[in-house]
């Protein structure tokens, strides 16, 4: 199978050079980016007036939570969790979660996300939806033991069960990741066991860290140190660890993350909506920490739109620092693409010969994206997920000219609506 | 002419009640909102799975600045203005501005704005574009005299010339507004003359006030008081005044604005992108000040998307106050609709019998807007301008099912692209 994308503005390589060129995909790889490629291809896509971009990598989400979108907003975090989110999550069956995963996958395809790092429950069901949809999913079962040794054991067992189920699918597009929920919901025993298992099975780890001030208070009270120092002290950290949020990091935490090569998944929309705080992006980048971008779940965002998330990231840090030069468009675009790929050890996130063909095409023939003065600026500051027209993962077309090819859109939406009624 | 919108979720009245109903429009007004309206109508629109909402009122923008979109970002304010924006604006002819106004109008129609308050130059040209497009425009010529008495006179003369030209168009959709640029760029003499003329001609006034810390410093140094106290002292303020930004307002300023019934046009996107600061939204609302919402120009946003702007407003104030309950979805939605209408003394901004039929239809048959758990939440937190499908102003359809009827979209875009090349 080959695809030839003609006449687009291509965002080429790590430096994000925008070039008028054609892109030739053979199998699952980009094989050539140059002007006037004349080779025959199975599919030819005319990208005139369009931008050919690496697909986005959503580095932290809970994809089935679209089911709970808009059910509760504008509430204090604990009221939101205890009275609205958790009671509904308690009603979620594996089948409901699968319905939510399809809705999330459909939304991601439509808004140009090609890879995502997920944390939720029954990830073997999520994996099936991801396979069907054609996306790349890095899937973690969110483990919570609240210090109860029986639960520790059960959580480890469930994680290993889901890992096995996902490995049995034998796909290069779905990967199991260990997902202990957070230092305040997991015992030291659980965290240490996860660290050991991840190394043994060569899996990545993702975990919520330093999201709220309340968490810092709890961990400091319990352990006399910050969450990051705690994780460092128990030998948990490494360049295979992706921490989500990292809002309340101090200088010492940042040095520790840098030393271990830990990646931070930044979630500006969720941190703003839940009023968690503003993460120290500039300090992290200056310390050389790899920072990716995530939307978090649709209950706290309330969508999975990485184009919108880039704008939120850029704007939040400018106003917070009262400095318009921070979080510039190119830095933020890299966070949403190549930094995520680096964290996941994925040969994607840039368009270049030899890289995976995880590519999206964005329609710039729209008034809010004209004149085309600066492609990267327009993607970060002017565009939104609905501008994405075509989504390709590993050389397979998931959406073409606005039509989703891998999923029955009407069915996915109507089933989500039905589950939502049952959760009410 | 009559329009019947069938089977939508209608956002009804000031309280934003979402009801399944039909909406009947006769002439330029809404005449009926109820279930199963069976009267014949010239046009019947099926709004199944769609939301029927009041159109948005963009209370502060510079609509032709789309021409400069993305030309310069991530720069300190003065570098941005002096080295990038002003040199290009110096090249703008009346015809170029008209091209920019068409681009802005097209973008607004597409993203559901039905009325806007504009400040720029050659507003008689902008008025022609607004008339063609079918929007409602409140158009102010931005006056700047920098304390030079000759310029004061010239600016007054130009404003009156544009006022006359706009009045000659004799349309209820275009209105002249006085637009002295700001207290730091206008002399007291100019401000006083504007106040007098506005009262005489019964026109509104709009002016940038307290946008940046630098402005506060300048005005305090020059006059020994805050910009708001200065305007109060010279008798400038009234309930016909709309100040844009209002970022650096202190408690005394807020009391003064409340006492005079002044409206504040909040521009979160621009304030964030230019790192101007965070306006005291909660304090203004608590003091009873009318606050509307604006996008500012596309050079500092970089689009005119009011749906996106609502999300920015809600999220910014939550994180800034570390309180997720502030700037709730309904408050922000009212800012973008009825508060703007109140400021402009326009019988719009709500859907209700007798109100102007300034109505948009948003397609909710999309994964990021499902399940439909809460319509207002979805509009504020999940939707974007591209979800708008149909735009109606005063009972006239400007866009139907995604097709713009009043403008030649391709021509508008290609002319904008040509002007952009000339400005480079």
């Amino acid at each position: 199978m080959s695809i030839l994308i003609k006449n687009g503005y291509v965002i080429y390589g790590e430096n994000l050079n925008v070039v008028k060129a054609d892109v030739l995909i053979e199998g699952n790889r980009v094989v050539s980016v140059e002007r006037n490629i004349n080779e025959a291809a199975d599919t030819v896509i005319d990208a005139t007036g369009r931008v050919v971009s690496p697909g986005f990598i959503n580095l932290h989400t809970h994809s089935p939570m679209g089911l709970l979108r808009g059910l509760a907003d504008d509430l204090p975090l604990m009221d939101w969790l205890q009275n609205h989110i958790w009671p509904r999550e308690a009603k979620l069956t594996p089948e409901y979660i699968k319905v939510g995963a399809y809705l999330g996958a459909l939304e991601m395809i439509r808004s140009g996300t090609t890879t995502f790092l997920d944390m939720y429950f029954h990830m073997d069901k999520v994996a099936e939806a991801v396979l069907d949809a054609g996306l790349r999913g890095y899937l973690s079962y969110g483990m919570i033991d609240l210090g109860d040794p029986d639960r520790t054991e059960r959580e480890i067992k469930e994680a290993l069960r889901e890992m096995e189920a996902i490995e049995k699918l034998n796909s290069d597009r779905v990967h199991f990741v260990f997902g202990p929920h957070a230092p305040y919901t997991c015992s030291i025993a659980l965290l240490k066991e996860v660290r050991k298992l991840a190394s043994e099975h060569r899996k990545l780890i993702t975990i919520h860290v330093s999201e709220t001030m309340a968490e810092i208070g709890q961990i400091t009270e319990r352990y006399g140190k910050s969450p990051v120092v705690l994780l460092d002290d128990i030998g948990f950290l490494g360049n295979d660890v992706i921490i989500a949020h990292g809002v309340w990091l101090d200088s010492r935490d940042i040095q520790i993350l840098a030393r271990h090569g830990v990646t931070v998944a930044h979630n500006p929309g969720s941190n703003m909506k839940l009023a968690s705080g503003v993460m120290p992006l500039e300090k992290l980048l200056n310390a050389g920490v790899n920072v990716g971008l995530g939307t978090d779940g649709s209950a706290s965002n309330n969508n999975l739109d990485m184009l919108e998330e880039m704008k939120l990231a850029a704007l939040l840090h400018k106003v917070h620092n009262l400095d318009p030069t921070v979080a510039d468009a190119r830095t933020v675009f890299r966070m949403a693409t190549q930094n995520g790929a680096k964290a996941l050890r994925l040969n994607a996130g840039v368009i270049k010969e030899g890289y995976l063909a995880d590519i999206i095409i964005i329609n710039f023939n729209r008034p809010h994206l004209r004149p085309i003065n600066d492609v990267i600026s327009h993607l970060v500051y002017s565009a939104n997920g609905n501008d994405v027209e075509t989504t390709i993962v590993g050389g397979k077309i998931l959406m073409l000219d606005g039509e989703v090819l891998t999923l029955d859109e009407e069915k996915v939406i109507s089933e989500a609506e039905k589950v939502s009624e049952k959760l009410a």
Side-chain angles (χ1 to χ4, degrees), chain A residues 157-190:
Chain A
K157 215 169 137 188
E158 174 63 13
L160 293 175
R161 183 193 72 75
E162 297 191 14
M163 179 175 81
E164 243 176 73
I166 289 171
E167 303 224 307
K168 255 191 206 142
L169 296 170
N170 196 26
S171 161
D172 65 337
R173 288 194 289 99
V174 294
H175 302 269
F176 179 80
V177 172
F178 281 97
H181 174 265
Y184 70 97
T185 50
C186 294
S187 65
I188 300 292
L190 175 67

Side-chain angles (χ1 to χ4, degrees), chain A residues 102-162:
Chain A
Y102 272 109
L103 183 69
L106 178 60
E107 192 185 338
M108 287 189 268
I109 292 172
R110 281 218 158 276
S111 53
T113 291
T114 48
T115 295
F116 66 110
L117 174 55
D118 215 24
M119 183 192 283
Y120 216 57
F121 321 109
H122 303 293
M123 302 310 290
D124 44 336
K125 294 292 174 187
V126 176
E128 291 173 27
V130 174
L131 273 193
D132 252 18
L135 294 167
R136 289 186 205 284
Y138 288 74
L139 309 177
S140 73
Y141 165 66
M143 306 159 87
I144 294 181
D145 69 352
L146 300 173
D148 169 355
D150 288 350
R151 271 189 85 169
T152 313
E153 203 177 314
R154 285 207 307 278
E155 290 294 77
I156 298 280
K157 215 169 137 188
E158 174 63 13
L160 293 175
R161 183 193 72 75
E162 297 191 14

Side-chain angles (χ1 to χ4, degrees), chain A residues 270-292:
Chain A
S270 171
N271 297 160
M272 294 172 85
K273 185 158 184 284
L274 298 176
S276 306
V278 182
M279 70 106 79
L281 178 63
E282 285 301 289
K283 287 183 192 160
L284 284 160
L285 294 175
N286 289 339
V289 175
N290 185 44
V291 180

Side-chain angles (χ1 to χ4, degrees), chain A residues 1 13 15-16 35 152 180 209 216 237 315 322 357 385 387:
Chain A
M1 280 294 295
N15 292 332
L16 312 179
R35 280 176 187 262
T152 313
V209 177
I216 304 294
L237 299 174
L315 266 52
L322 293 181
D387 294 315

Side-chain angles (χ1 to χ4, degrees), chain A residues 61-69 92-109 116 118 120-123 125-130 133 135 297-299 304 407 411-420 423:
Chain A
T61 188
H62 311 283
S63 71
M65 288 187 87
L67 293 174
L68 310 178
R69 191 195 323 271
L92 288 176
T93 66
E95 281 314 306
Y96 290 178
I97 284 176
K98 193 169 170 183
V99 168
Y102 272 109
L103 183 69
L106 178 60
E107 192 185 338
M108 287 189 268
I109 292 172
F116 66 110
D118 215 24
Y120 216 57
F121 321 109
H122 303 293
M123 302 310 290
K125 294 292 174 187
V126 176
E128 291 173 27
V130 174
L135 294 167
S298 284
L304 304 177
L407 299 174
K411 189 177 155 209
V412 167
I413 286 175
S414 92
E415 291 194 346
E417 208 66 64
K418 275 185 225 152
V419 167
S420 166
L423 295 177

